[in-house]
Amino acid sequence: MAPFAGAADYAGPLFDTHLHYNQEAWDGHAGPYPPAEALARMQRNGVKAIVANSRPNAGTQTLAAARETRAAGVTVVPFVRLYRNRDDYDNWFRDDSIYEMVQAELARGTASGPYRGLGEFHLYDSANANGPVARKLIALAEQRQLAVLAHVDDVAIDLLMANAPSRGRSLRLIWAHTGIGGPPVARVQALLERYPLLMGELSYRPGLTCDGGTLCPEWRALILKYPERFLVGSDTWVNQRWSAYDEIMRGYRTWLGDLPPEVAQRIAWGNAAGLFGIK
Ligand SMILES: [Zn+2]
C-alpha cells in the first residue's frame, strides 16, 4: 500500500489534514494537476482521507464530486476556504462579504456532504484575530461545531480562543504548522494544556525533525505526551508541493516509524478520523 515506505517506516493509512486544491493546480480547464493526477498522488501514498480546501472553493467542490475521488478510495472532509482570490488573505477578518460567502457555501454543502470546517485562514498580524469578521466566524464555527484550520502565531491562538463563546473550551482549532514561526515546545505544550480541543498540524513545523528525518528529541517527547493532539498534512499551497507530494508523505512515514505503532497510527490517521467521524 505504501510503495515509498522503507522497512522501518509507518506503513498504514494517512489522513492529509491540510490539503489545498487551488486554482493554479487545476482550474477546471488547464493546470498540471487535474483530479486524476491529484488523486493518483494520494492513492499511491496511502492517503485515504483529506481535509480539502481551496482558493476559490470550486476546487474543493470539484474534488468532493469527482468520480476519481471515489475510485481512489479517498474520503473528502470539506472545509470552506475564506479566500476567493489572493487579495482576501489580508482582508478576510474585516470583510463582511467573506462572512456572506461562508454562509452561502455552508448552505450549499458539497457532493461529499456538509462542510466540516473553516479555513485555512492566515493572520500575519495576530491582532487581526479581533477583526469584526474574524470574531463572527469563530463564533459561527463553535456554534455549528465546525473545525477551524488556522495559520497563526501563538499569540493569535489565545486571541481566537478568547473570541469563542466557550472562551476556547469547545472550539475545535487545528493549528496549521503548530506555529510556522517555531514557538518553543514549552509554549506549544502550555497551549495544548489550556485548550482541550486544540490540535497541532505538523507540516513545515520548524525543529520537528533532526538527522535522518527522525523526530528531534523534544518533539518526540511532546508527541508521546500528547499522542491524541497531533495531525499530519501536505499543505499543497503551491504547485511545487503537489510535485513533491511523494517526498512529503515519505518524510512523514519516516518519523512516524520512529514512534510506538499505536502512537504513529493516531497521528497518521486516528486523531483526524476520530475528529471527523471517519471509519
Ligand atoms: Zn496551507
Side-chain angles (χ1 to χ4, degrees), residues 111-129:
S112 290
Y115 283 104
R116 306 296 305 277
L118 305 181
E120 182 192 25
F121 61 75
H122 300 72
L123 288 171
Y124 301 112
D125 176 352
S126 30
N128 288 327

Side-chain angles (χ1 to χ4, degrees), residues 48-186:
K48 299 289 189 184
I50 57 173
V51 165
N53 72 104
S54 62
R55 163 184 43 75
N57 286 298
T60 300
Q61 291 281 357
T62 297
L63 278 187
R67 177 177 45 80
E68 291 91 340
T69 305
R70 269 165 285 287
V74 173
T75 298
V76 173
V77 175
F79 276 29
V80 184
R81 193 107 207 246
L82 307 187
Y83 309 147
R84 300 157 297 194
N85 51 54
R86 290 200 182 275
D87 290 340
D88 288 337
Y89 282 65
D90 293 314
N91 222 32
W92 67 269
F93 43 83
R94 60 184 160 221
D95 182 345
D96 252 316
S97 73
I98 299 287
Y99 191 74
E100 287 159 23
M101 180 270 284
V102 168
Q103 292 202 305
E105 280 296 321
L106 290 175
R108 178 184 178 201
T110 79
S112 290
Y115 283 104
R116 306 296 305 277
L118 305 181
E120 182 192 25
F121 61 75
H122 300 72
L123 288 171
Y124 301 112
D125 176 352
S126 30
N128 288 327
N130 290 328
V133 172
R135 287 174 182 271
K136 285 203 292 188
L137 286 170
I138 290 298
L140 178 75
E142 188 174 289
Q143 281 154 10
R144 299 221 193 163
Q145 297 194 321
L146 298 166
V148 165
L149 179 59
H151 175 132
V152 301
D153 66 11
D154 56 312
V155 174
I157 294 288
D158 279 323
L159 295 176
L160 291 169
M161 291 294 197
N163 288 336
S166 69
R167 310 284 297 171
R169 302 296 299 175
S170 306
L171 182 66
R172 298 160 201 267
L173 199 160
I174 301 171
W175 190 4
H177 321 299
T178 318
I180 203 159
V185 165

